[in-house]
């Protein structure tokens, strides 16, 4: 079975390999031993911590194929961003330049540096190894986080965002960054992205243009990628859009990739999730695919499988293999939602 579980120290080699494979622009998985190890221990500590409101917690999950123990994907949640260092975005807005006497009316797009998402929760680090991009693996990795958020709601803010990877080429060059680099910075995009990934973000505050930027003054190439996702990130944004996430004009300050957001109570997999009591047996003939998780934090497990769930019943029948994978037995509670 394909199972989502919290990362452990012995997953380090697999995490490192995925950091290498994820490539340029994947800010949250830098190829850096110390930082990757810190991410694992921070996640372990976050799960152990008693939390009543979101703070400096980060939860990192992996996807494991239980048939052979292969760890083939990651996804993560940050409880609250920007609480101990500034969290930047550009907001794409409009100004109108008009003169009635000259009969001129022009709408101009501007990018304004802001910290508007301070304190919100963040979905991040969604990566599935290429040879595993099949069946429901990507959906499971992305959406299992919503069951976790539903079950441990006190650990998260009421708004959640995801910064989608923007456009860059195979060598890691971002047309948006190239313009910024030319005028304001002298470091290339992979270096800036890497420094951000390892937490060295002070250079942003020091060098980033602080006044609004007229979009029409950017290079044509930079203008064209504002709010666009990297081609490999299209499935990731499609998964979030299917949950009700949308972009409200905020883009990444380095590659101009879109940030999408949703209120937690509006996220489909959370809104329609239900808690039911486990019975062991064989699901009925008219089964439908469901995402399902247990309700324990440190031993959190989620998977998907076809189940028969009726509106009226407060119970669900699970095959023994699924109950074993989730670490539940008859009488325990599980949370589920349609995948
Ligand atoms: C994102 C995942 C994990 C998704 O896995 P899969 O590719 O197997 O997904 P999938 O099931 O084939 O597709 C998911 C949904 O996207 C749709 N889809 C697929 N390709 C598409 C395309 N080119 N354009 C538009 N939609 C597309 C599918 O029809 C499907 O929707 P239907 O089922 O409705 O048909 C993977 O592609 C990946 O590892 N990508 C590279 C890493 C990456 O860029 N990650 C995101 C970085 S940004 C980030 O991490 C923040 C966001 C976050 O954490 O969620």
């Amino acid at each position: 079975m394909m199972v989502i579980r919290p990362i452990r120290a012995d997953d380090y080699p697999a995490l490192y390999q995925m950091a290498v494979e994820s490539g340029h622009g994947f800010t949250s998985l830098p190829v850096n031993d110390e930082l990757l190890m810190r991410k694992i221990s921070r996640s372990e500590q976050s799960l152990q911590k008693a939390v009543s409101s979101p703070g400096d917690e980060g939860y990192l999950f992996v996807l494991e194929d239980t048939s052979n123990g292969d760890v083939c994907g990651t996804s993560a949640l940050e409880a609250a961003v920007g609480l101990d260092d500034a969290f930047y975005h550009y907001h794409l807005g409009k100004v109108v330049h008009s003169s009635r006497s000259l009969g001129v009316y022009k709408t101009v797009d501007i990018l304004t540096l802001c910290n508007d998402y301070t304190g919100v929760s963040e979905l991040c680090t969604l990566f599935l190894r290429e040879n595993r991009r099949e069946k429901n693996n990507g959906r499971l990795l992305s959406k299992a986080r919503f069951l976790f958020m539903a079950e441990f709601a006190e650990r998260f803010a009421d708004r959640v965002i995801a910064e989608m990877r923007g456009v860059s080429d195979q060598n890691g060059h971002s047309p948006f960054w190239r313009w910024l680099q030319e005028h304001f910075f002298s470091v290339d995009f992979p270096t800036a992205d890497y420094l951000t990934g390892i937490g060295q973000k002070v250079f942003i505050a020091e060098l980033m243009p602080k006044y609004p930027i007229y979009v029409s003054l950017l290079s044509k190439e930079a203008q064209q990628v504002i709010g666009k996702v990297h081609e490999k990130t299209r499935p990731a944004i499609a998964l979030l859009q299917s949950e009700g996430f949308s972009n409200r004009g905020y883009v990444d300050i380095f590659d101009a990739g879109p940030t999408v957001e949703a209120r937690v109570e509006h996220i489909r997999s959370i809104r329609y999730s239900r808690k039911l009591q486990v019975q062991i047996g064989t699901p009925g003939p008219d089964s439908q695919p469901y995402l399902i998780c247990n309700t324990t934090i440190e031993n959190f497990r989620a998977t998907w499988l076809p189940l028969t769930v009726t509106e009226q019943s407060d119970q669900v029948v699970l095959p023994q293999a699924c109950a074993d994978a989730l670490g539940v037995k008859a009488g325990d509670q599980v949370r589920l939602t349609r995948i």
Side-chain angles (χ1 to χ4, degrees), residues 251-265:
V251 298
D252 184 73
I253 55 172
F254 292 154
D255 62 16
T259 288
V260 291
E261 67 165 87
R263 292 194 71 77
V264 168
E265 78 227 44

Side-chain angles (χ1 to χ4, degrees), residues 127-173:
F127 180 78
L128 181 59
R129 297 183 83 171
E130 294 236 14
N131 63 345
R132 294 299 196 134
R133 291 183 194 165
E134 55 173 9
K135 303 182 188 143
N136 273 334
N137 289 346
R139 295 179 84 82
L140 176 59
L141 260 173
S142 175
K143 299 195 180 208
R145 295 175 294 185
F146 299 127
L147 287 185
F148 187 85
M149 291 181 79
E151 192 55 37
F152 306 106
E154 69 286 358
R155 290 177 176 260
F156 298 96
D158 54 10
R159 239 174 2 142
V160 57
I161 62 162
E163 295 187 299
M164 310 310 299
R165 178 158 55 146
V167 176
S168 60
D169 67 17
Q170 288 202 328
N171 301 317
H173 296 300

